Amino acid sequence: MLAIVGGTGLYELPGLDIVERIAGDTPFGRASGDVLRGRLHDRELLFLARHGTGHRLLPHEVNYRANVFALKRAGATMLLGFSAVGSLALEVAPGTLAMPEQYVDWTRGRREQSFFGGGVAAHVSTARPVSAAMVGAVQGAAERTGTSLTRGLTYACVEGPRLGTQAESHLLRQLGCHLVGMTNVPEAFLAREAQMAYATVGLVTDYDSWLDDPAQHVSVGAIFQRYGQTLSMARRVLDELLRMPPPEPEAESRQALTSAMLTSDEALCADQKAWLSVLRA
């Protein structure tokens, strides 16, 4: 089942026929809100607003573990996120859509990064953290709707909530990053630990702060103005995506824990076995 994680401005899914609201309480704390299960274009899916209703949570306040766990427990095998991103490349223009396929974690380890620890040891491969099948499906939907979308990009995730300095923007460019945002890490890596195929649609709002022209530098006002204009494009692509058969998640996503676990089941307590069984499903 596909789960949609709505970012800035996407706090609900228009047209979703909600059949169940699933409480977001998990062994890892409370999710950003209830998980909505419903149908759209005769397709069952899940929805969760990453920042909560009314955008209550800043990126560093989001409980990413609880969000991913709640979606997996509700039956998700694929997770498609939407989020605002800044462009670090001239050819990735504001007002377009962009899909990263690699990540650089610049959050400095201040967020809860993993489900594992506390007596449960595992090392999950994230060499290819994004589902190429999901990116391909979204790209196809974009092409059918005449929407500009760039794929194959690298996303740098920064801690926030402040907007970055010009020096930081230049540094991220030197690292080979094309996009910068505040929310996809650890979300992408937790999805892999939960054996879900992951991809994200970035709504490009600005050129961050690396250009010499101060008028091009990122600001909250510019983000929301551009995001509102681009959100209609993203919704059109999502609408088209949901009209088609879902892609098949790759085995490297759905079997990520097969060779990653170091702790034997015999060494786990009942609570650990319970939450691990959700990730393994």
Side-chain angles (χ1 to χ4, degrees):
M1 189 190 313
L2 176 66
I4 304 297
V5 175
T8 301
L10 192 59
Y11 310 121
E12 59 183 6
L13 207 54
L16 180 66
D17 181 17
I18 300 172
V19 299
E20 183 180 11
R21 291 180 177 269
I22 305 169
D25 295 313
T26 80
F28 303 94
R30 183 160 180 79
S32 298
D34 292 345
V35 173
L36 305 183
R37 184 172 66 85
R39 301 191 71 84
L40 185 58
H41 299 312
D42 202 32
R43 178 143 159 218
E44 187 176 19
L45 72 156
L46 303 168
F47 178 81
L48 177 64
R50 183 187 288 118
H51 298 281
T53 304
H55 206 118
R56 297 177 294 101
L57 302 169
L58 287 167
H60 69 286
E61 295 177 315
V62 173
N63 188 335
Y64 296 96
R65 292 195 302 176
N67 284 358
V68 172
F69 188 90
L71 290 168
K72 182 61 186 291
R73 185 177 58 191
T77 57
M78 298 175 286
L79 194 161
L80 179 64
F82 288 81
S83 56
V85 296
S87 172
L88 299 170
L90 198 60
E91 63 273 18
V92 183
T96 63
L97 303 181
M99 296 194 73
E101 296 185 58
Q102 284 291 331
Y103 286 99
V104 171
D105 180 3
W106 208 249
T107 64
R108 308 299 182 85
R110 296 171 184 170
R111 306 177 184 191
E112 293 288 353
Q113 298 281 336
S114 176
F115 290 111
F116 298 102
V120 187
H123 296 283
V124 173
S125 172
T126 59
R128 295 185 295 184
V130 170
S131 167
M134 289 184 64
V135 174
V138 176
Q139 182 183 37
E143 290 173 353
R144 291 191 298 274
T145 57
T147 304
S148 176
L149 183 147
T150 308
R151 63 176 293 180
L153 306 175
T154 297
Y155 175 121
C157 191
V158 297
E159 184 65 36
R162 66 173 177 84
L163 303 175
T165 68
Q166 195 168 48
E168 290 168 329
S169 191
H170 282 299
L171 176 60
L172 295 175
R173 279 169 47 81
Q174 292 174 21
L175 291 175
C177 301
H178 308 95
L179 305 171
V180 59
M182 300 180 187
T183 59
N184 281 195
V185 175
E187 185 176 271
F189 304 141
L190 291 166
R192 178 57 56 87
E193 289 187 348
Q195 300 196 130
M196 291 193 289
Y198 181 87
T200 191
V201 178
L203 285 70
V204 184
T205 60
D206 56 81
Y207 277 121
D208 201 48
S209 58
W210 60 275
L211 291 173
D212 289 334
D213 181 4
Q216 295 284 354
H217 293 176
V218 59
S219 68
V220 171
I223 287 174
F224 277 94
Q225 180 182 13
R226 182 79 69 175
Y227 195 90
Q229 296 168 357
T230 313
L231 188 57
S232 61
M233 297 167 48
R235 283 175 167 161
R236 185 167 64 245
V237 171
L238 177 59
D239 190 70
E240 175 64 21
L241 176 71
L242 295 177
R243 294 179 186 274
M244 304 300 292
E248 186 67 28
E250 294 91 344
E252 65 182 319
S253 298
R254 296 291 291 128
Q255 300 172 17
L257 295 181
T258 301
S259 59
M261 293 295 304
L262 299 179
T263 307
S264 67
D265 286 355
E266 291 73 20
L268 302 176
C269 70
D271 288 343
Q272 292 168 334
K273 289 179 180 178
W275 65 254
L276 188 56
S277 70
V278 173
L279 303 188
R280 283 172 163 166

